[in-house]
Every structure is written in C-alpha cells, then in structure tokens.
C-alpha cells in the first residue's frame, strides 16, 4: 500500500451534502452512488470540477458528523476551493493537520472500499499513528473511475 505523509494548513472545501443512514460495515454507505449520480445529472459535478483551485485536484467525498445514536452521517460531494462560496454551495473548513495520503488504484467503488479495509486492518495496526478526529477525504482524481487503472487517493488525518 503506497502512501506519503504531509502536513497541511487549514483549507476550505465547497460542495453539497446530504445525511445518510449508515449501512453494513463492509459495504459502504447506501445511497451515496445515487447521490453522485444526481449531482452529475444536475450539473453540480461539472460546476465543482470547474471551481477546483486548491492543492487536492479532483472531486472529494467527505464523510463527517457521525451520529451514533441515530446511526447517520453527513456526506459531502465537494472540491477544495479558496474564495467566496458560490451560490448554491456550502463550505466546510478542514483544520490544519498531518495527513497520510494513500494511493488507491483500481475501479471505484470496490478499490476505495478495499483500501479502507486495508488502512484499518493493516496500516494503522503496523504504524505508530492513530486517526485524528478530522473527517477523512476520498479524492477522486481520475476522470475514469471505471478503469482498472484509475488513480485516486484517501486522505486520513493522523496523530
């Protein structure tokens, strides 16, 4: 599993978010692929691609604000963006942190799901780090997510 560690100042992302019920632990969150489909169809994805102006290139999937009592989580479709928040979008501030950035190669979503399993079952137990209490980021860098060679990233804040 290829990765590198970087430190970043705080940064802003903009996008749209929706609350989802959490599903089975190893199958991802039900409804997220449909959310991406809607955002693609209504032009949000194209708008976000055009607005990207930060260090992370590509679209971002961010899961945050988990509520264990209700078993729900907020999911963002976003991009890193510096500037005033355009109409129709919300902003979310990511705090300064040390990040481990994992390379994910393969068809989405299976490659992303498998990478998450490997991160928590292999990488964290074999390293001296713990995940920080900052929302992790899935960075969809490649425009062809169905390709077996698709390159994307998972960013996890560490302490």
């Amino acid at each position: 599993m290829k990765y590198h560690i970087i430190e970043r100042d705080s940064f802003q992302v903009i996008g749209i978010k929706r609350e989802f019920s959490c599903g089975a632990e190893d199958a991802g969150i039900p409804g997220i692929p449909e959310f991406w489909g809607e955002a693609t169809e209504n032009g949000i994805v194209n708008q976000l691609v055009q607005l990207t102006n930060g260090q992370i290139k590509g679209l971002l999937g961010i899961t945050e604000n988990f509520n264990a009592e209700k078993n729900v989580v907020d999911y963002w479709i976003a991009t890193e963006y510096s500037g005033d928040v355009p109409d129709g979008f919300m902003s979310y501030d990511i705090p300064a942190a040390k990040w481990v950035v994992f390379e994910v190669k393969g068809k989405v979503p299976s490659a992303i799901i498998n990478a998450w399993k490997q991160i928590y079952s292999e990488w964290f137990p074999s390293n001296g780090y713990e995940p920080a209490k900052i929302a992790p980021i899935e960075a969809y860098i490649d425009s062809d997510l169905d390709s077996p060679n698709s390159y994307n990233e998972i960013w996890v804040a560490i302490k």
Side-chain angles (χ1 to χ4, degrees), residues 11-152:
F11 59 96
Q12 173 182 260
V13 301
I14 60 166
I16 58 174
K17 74 174 176 176
R18 187 177 289 172
E19 183 179 85
F20 288 93
S21 293
C22 298
E25 196 170 296
D26 62 350
I29 299 170
I32 288 179
E34 293 80 6
F35 185 37
W36 278 95
E38 291 171 27
T40 300
E41 285 178 30
N42 66 22
I44 297 288
V45 164
N46 284 338
Q47 286 180 285
L48 289 171
V49 167
Q50 293 173 14
L51 290 167
T52 300
N53 67 4
Q55 180 179 334
I56 305 174
K57 303 303 178 201
L59 295 175
L60 310 177
I62 302 172
T63 306
E64 56 101 16
N65 200 25
F66 175 67
N67 181 322
E69 189 177 300
K70 294 181 180 178
N71 197 34
V72 296
V73 68
D74 288 337
Y75 183 84
W76 287 76
I77 296 174
T79 193
E80 186 175 347
Y81 179 79
S82 178
D84 293 334
V85 179
D87 288 343
F89 294 106
M90 296 177 284
S91 70
Y92 180 63
D93 292 324
I94 308 286
K98 180 184 284 189
W99 297 86
V100 58
V101 180
F102 296 94
E103 294 182 11
V104 181
K105 291 189 178 173
K107 189 175 177 177
V108 172
S110 57
I112 295 284
I113 292 169
N114 291 336
W116 277 116
K117 290 178 189 175
Q118 200 173 1
I119 289 166
Y120 280 94
S121 68
E122 297 173 24
W123 193 85
F124 274 115
S126 66
N127 287 278
Y129 295 105
E130 294 178 26
K133 300 228 182 275
I134 296 173
I137 300 169
E138 294 174 354
Y140 299 102
I141 311 294
D142 200 316
S143 60
D144 183 3
L145 300 179
D146 290 326
S147 167
N149 299 316
S150 180
Y151 174 85
N152 300 287

